[in-house]
Amino acid sequence: MPGKPAVLVTPESPVPLSVWSSRYWFGNSDVTWLKHLVAGGVSGAVSRTVVSPLERMKILFQVQSKGTGTNYSGVFGTLAKIWREEGIAGYMRGNGTNVVRIVPYSAVQFATYEQLKKLLMEEGKTELDTRRRLTAGAGAGIASVAATYPLDIVRTRISVQTAHALANINELPKDARGRPIIPKMPGIFETFVKIYKSEGGLRATYRGFGATLAGVAPYIALNFQCYEVLRKLFTPEGESAPSGVRKLACGALAGCCAQTITYPFDVLRRRMQVTSMSGISYRYSSTFDAIRQM
């Protein structure tokens, strides 16, 4: 009997990987850290852009001084004033620095937290207790702020400098819509170089850093503690965790509580960052001098 014809089986060709796939670049290596970094950077950039008008308004409130002709009063009045004098660009002023800053900020924060987590982890356990988690969070917060603080001071300067240029608004030329034509302001690099060269080198780029550190640890501790308390209150009976919407509410309320309690440190930081700018009527020689005068 003639044998059955042989069936030739050819191996399937591997499906080519997309350049957007992590396996294309890193193979089978664990890249969870990179995903966290990218997610943190993108979410941070989006969130800061969305709240940029409110953030700039807050900075203007914090640093303004009486008698300069640039006083801002009230939320809606200030938003209207910015729109009237600067247009939509006024709401976004300084946001570019914030977006640039968030990537290294997230990278340093994540890397530091993971390293501190390994150092503080008790033998035989997989999770940190409350005290050690707070320590790791505070350490990560301090490291990330220290690494990116010069960008923070540049962001504050860019947010404020236009407001001071508008102090003599009646002397500025107007466009067809009646808005003042604001002179070209220095960008991120020019502002940093000016601070470095004319205000005392590297030390000037860290002016107000002490007040920032004083506020970081209590903010993280309060934020974490408030969140844990609220999470228990918002968890329905018989369930182990609240829903996504309730978690969002917990995070928002915890952030509000922590920010409200530590807000004086934020005001102190902003005023220290601009104290050497022209057009600022107050001058502080140190953080303690600022506290005394305020």
Side-chain angles (χ1 to χ4, degrees), residues 15-228:
V15 178
L17 294 174
S18 168
V19 294
W20 299 107
S21 170
S22 60
R23 290 180 60 194
Y24 181 87
W25 300 100
F26 301 99
N28 294 321
S29 301
D30 183 12
V31 291
T32 304
W33 62 272
L34 181 60
K35 293 178 181 179
H36 282 296
L37 175 60
V38 173
V42 172
S43 63
V46 172
S47 63
R48 279 160 173 74
T49 300
V50 170
V51 302
S52 180
L54 298 177
E55 180 68 16
R56 188 182 181 223
M57 180 174 59
K58 184 191 75 168
I59 293 175
L60 292 175
F61 284 157
Q62 290 173 330
V63 305
Q64 69 178 347
S65 54
K66 294 181 179 180
T68 59
T70 57
N71 292 330
Y72 295 86
S73 178
V75 174
F76 296 107
T78 299
L79 290 174
K81 179 181 174 69
I82 294 174
W83 173 262
R84 187 171 58 251
E85 295 178 349
E86 305 178 50
I88 190 69
Y91 294 137
M92 296 292 120
R93 207 168 300 281
N95 186 58
T97 316
N98 244 353
V99 172
V100 171
R101 173 176 172 260
I102 188 59
V103 175
Y105 183 93
S106 297
V108 173
Q109 187 178 55
F110 177 78
T112 305
Y113 183 80
E114 289 301 312
Q115 291 301 314
L116 289 175
K117 187 177 177 180
K118 292 178 182 177
L119 290 173
L120 296 172
M121 187 71 69
E122 294 181 278
E123 189 175 352
K125 293 187 177 181
T126 58
E127 291 292 333
L128 298 176
D129 57 24
T130 300
R131 181 172 57 85
R132 287 180 171 82
R133 189 180 291 113
L134 285 175
T135 302
I142 290 172
S144 57
V145 169
T148 60
Y149 191 80
L151 285 173
D152 188 46
I153 195 171
V154 168
R155 188 260 192 277
T156 302
R157 295 290 184 93
I158 291 176
S159 296
V160 172
Q161 62 188 3
T162 306
H164 285 286
L166 291 168
N168 300 316
I169 189 172
N170 294 329
E171 299 177 9
L172 295 175
K174 304 292 191 295
D175 61 15
R177 302 175 65 179
R179 287 176 177 165
I181 299 175
I182 303 171
K184 188 179 184 301
M185 296 293 166
I188 298 173
F189 182 73
E190 293 89 347
T191 301
F192 176 81
V193 171
K194 182 179 179 181
I195 295 171
Y196 184 87
K197 287 185 175 181
S198 62
E199 298 182 23
L202 186 62
R203 181 179 179 182
T205 65
Y206 278 85
R207 186 175 286 111
F209 184 61
T212 303
L213 289 185
V216 166
Y219 174 82
I220 292 175
L222 288 167
N223 194 15
F224 175 81
Q225 191 60 36
C226 289
Y227 180 81
E228 288 299 311

Side-chain angles (χ1 to χ4, degrees), residues 258-289:
Q259 180 67 38
T260 300
I261 294 172
T262 60
Y263 188 74
F265 291 107
D266 194 44
V267 175
L268 183 61
R269 169 173 65 117
R270 296 299 183 189
R271 291 175 78 89
M272 285 293 295
Q273 288 177 340
V274 302
T275 185
S276 57
M277 286 182 69
S278 59
I280 295 292
S281 61
Y282 46 83
R283 288 290 182 269
Y284 306 134
S285 59
S286 64
T287 301
F288 293 107
D289 182 48

